[in-house]
Amino acid sequence: MISKSKVTAKLSVIDRFLPLWIFVAMGLGVALGRVYPAIGPALDAVKVGGVSLPIAIGLFWMMYPVLAKVRYGKLQSVSANGKLFGASLAFNWILGPILMFALAWLLLPDQPHYRTGLILIGLARCIAMVLIWNMLAKGSGEVAALLVALNSVFQILCYSVMGWFFITVVPTWLGAESTEFHVSMWEIAKSVLLFLGLPLVAGALTRVGFVRSRGEEWYEKKFLPKVGPAALLGLLYTIVLMFAMQGDKIVSLPFDVLRIALPLVLYFGIMFTSAFLLSKKLGFSYQETASLSFTAAGNNFELAIAVAIGLFGISSGEALAGVVGPLIEVPALLALVYLSLWLKDRLFPADVRANETAEPKDQATSLAQGGQLR
């Protein structure tokens, strides 16, 4: 078995110090927003699907290399696992929204605006950044792609209805003040098309085109190692811009940020660990377990922020809660990547041995190729 020091030595600088770079990117973004207050409005001047164009570019930059890695020929065999898809639907569209609703009401009973913002986050299932966390945790790219596609379809069909139910109907049942909620299916569909559809099509066409012209071996060993690092650079770029646009709010209301952060931290931890343990009990492989757990825990903060701003305004408490979402999600899910890899060694020894046998000479490839983070 290859030692940890040898693995670390062969990782790129970005891979080896990824947690540091993420926190630096967050700090740089907040600092830029404080030093240059006009940067937020400037970046937000042009929008695509309700999201700043520079951030939309960053999301594409981040997702394209990951989706170019997916072996689309294996999707049919993965899609036959009905138990996996059933578990994903249950976590994403039943447990997740109910858990976030419960945490928001339990911990923010006196803050209806922040509470509504958190509920919007809980309803927006992840279709973008989750692919990065899944890659880093060495989950299955094929399973993650299918679960994200499934979430996208349900997001288009269910987000508006569930938003109306949890924000307007349920509070009335509880005897509390309700909030009007109107978001069209087309608005959700545009978000899905832009943030998942375009990079998915680009990644699939890239793989099919190059494999046909240059062969599978060239694509896997020559092309992917070159394009792969772009995913992590795109992640850092996106984080800087996100926090630059909202840094002033984050710094000016620190106590409010902490109150919003608490239910988010609990949410990410509960969703991930419950999905991970149930997946293990159901007999899923580690790769399937990691993919299911990260898609269950992650959220589509781009959509939640866009909806909050569109319905309640950019200076609203709902929008602030949406902004705090990625502030907490980025470090929280990065920590869960390490937890996932730690659990892999202890709960999935057969998968560990299989990986060591299958890749004895390439155990320390870059994160860009295999998501190695240990």
Side-chain angles (χ1 to χ4, degrees):
M1 180 171 178
I2 297 177
S3 68
K4 181 178 179 180
S5 60
K6 289 182 179 179
V7 170
T8 305
K10 294 183 180 181
L11 294 176
S12 70
V13 174
I14 290 179
D15 299 343
R16 199 180 311 165
F17 300 106
L18 181 61
L20 173 61
W21 304 139
I22 285 179
F23 282 104
V24 168
M26 292 167 63
L28 178 59
V30 171
L32 284 173
R34 294 290 289 175
V35 175
Y36 303 104
I39 193 172
L43 291 172
D44 209 32
V46 180
K47 293 186 177 182
V48 178
V51 174
S52 162
L53 177 60
I55 288 185
I57 292 171
L59 292 171
F60 182 92
W61 178 9
M62 176 179 69
M63 292 179 64
Y64 164 72
V66 181
L67 291 168
K69 286 180 56 183
V70 173
R71 291 163 291 185
Y72 293 92
K74 293 188 175 183
L75 292 181
Q76 186 174 0
S77 61
V78 174
S79 64
N81 193 337
K83 188 164 61 172
L84 180 67
F85 278 73
S88 177
L89 288 176
F91 273 102
N92 279 284
W93 296 102
I94 299 176
L95 179 59
I98 292 175
L99 176 62
M100 186 68 89
F101 179 88
L103 290 171
W105 274 87
L106 178 65
L107 299 174
L108 295 169
D110 59 330
Q111 296 289 343
H113 300 296
Y114 296 160
R115 190 170 62 228
T116 298
L118 286 175
I119 293 171
L120 290 176
I121 294 173
L123 295 174
R125 312 315 301 169
C126 197
I127 62 171
M129 200 172 286
V130 67
L131 296 173
I132 292 286
W133 309 127
N134 178 72
M135 178 190 74
L136 295 177
K138 301 193 73 176
S140 167
E142 292 72 39
V143 170
L146 278 177
L147 295 184
V148 162
L150 186 68
N151 275 347
S152 300
V153 173
F154 271 77
Q155 202 151 237
I156 293 170
L157 298 176
C158 300
Y159 189 86
S160 298
V161 175
M162 294 186 71
W164 166 78
F165 179 74
F166 280 102
I167 294 174
T168 301
V169 176
V170 178
T172 303
W173 293 351
L174 298 174
E177 183 179 351
S178 64
T179 302
E180 290 295 321
F181 184 86
H182 300 289
V183 179
S184 71
M185 290 175 59
W186 169 237
E187 291 299 318
I188 311 302
K190 284 195 299 182
S191 172
V192 171
L193 175 64
L194 289 169
F195 301 130
L196 177 64
L198 291 181
L200 178 64
V201 170
L205 291 177
T206 300
R207 174 173 278 276
V208 171
F210 278 125
V211 167
R212 285 180 178 177
S213 61
R214 306 294 293 271
E216 185 82 23
E217 183 177 0
W218 178 89
Y219 187 82
E220 294 285 345
K221 296 185 177 180
K222 299 293 184 180
F223 178 77
L224 286 182
K226 292 181 179 179
V227 74
L232 299 180
L233 293 174
L235 171 66
L236 297 176
Y237 162 87
T238 305
I239 291 171
V240 170
L241 292 189
M242 282 173 16
F243 286 92
M245 293 177 67
Q246 307 295 342
D248 186 61
K249 289 184 181 179
I250 294 168
V251 173
S252 61
L253 297 168
F255 182 69
D256 290 35
V257 169
L258 290 176
R259 289 201 63 187
I260 297 169
L262 179 56
L264 285 168
V265 170
L266 292 173
Y267 172 85
F268 294 135
I270 293 171
M271 287 295 291
F272 180 86
T273 53
S274 58
F276 201 98
L277 295 176
L278 179 63
S279 299
K280 169 64 177 175
K281 187 173 182 178
L282 291 174
F284 297 156
S285 68
Y286 169 76
Q287 287 193 322
E288 293 170 335
T289 296
S291 299
L292 174 62
S293 301
F294 280 102
T295 51
N299 293 91
N300 185 356
F301 57 82
E302 305 93 354
L303 174 61
I305 292 172
V307 170
I309 292 174
L311 290 179
F312 305 105
I314 195 168
S315 60
S316 65
E318 291 86 352
L320 176 61
V323 169
V324 175
L327 170 70
I328 305 304
E329 181 173 0
V330 170
L333 266 68
L334 180 63
L336 292 175
V337 168
Y338 285 94
L339 175 62
S340 183
L341 292 169
W342 183 82
L343 290 172
K344 175 185 178 182
D345 291 339
R346 286 149 185 82
L347 299 182
F348 296 87
D351 286 10
V352 174
R353 288 193 296 270
N355 287 344
E356 291 171 355
T357 302
E359 302 181 60
K361 295 181 181 180
D362 197 30
Q363 194 76 348
T365 51
S366 170
L367 282 173
Q369 288 178 272
Q372 187 74 23
L373 194 68
R374 2 179 236 139

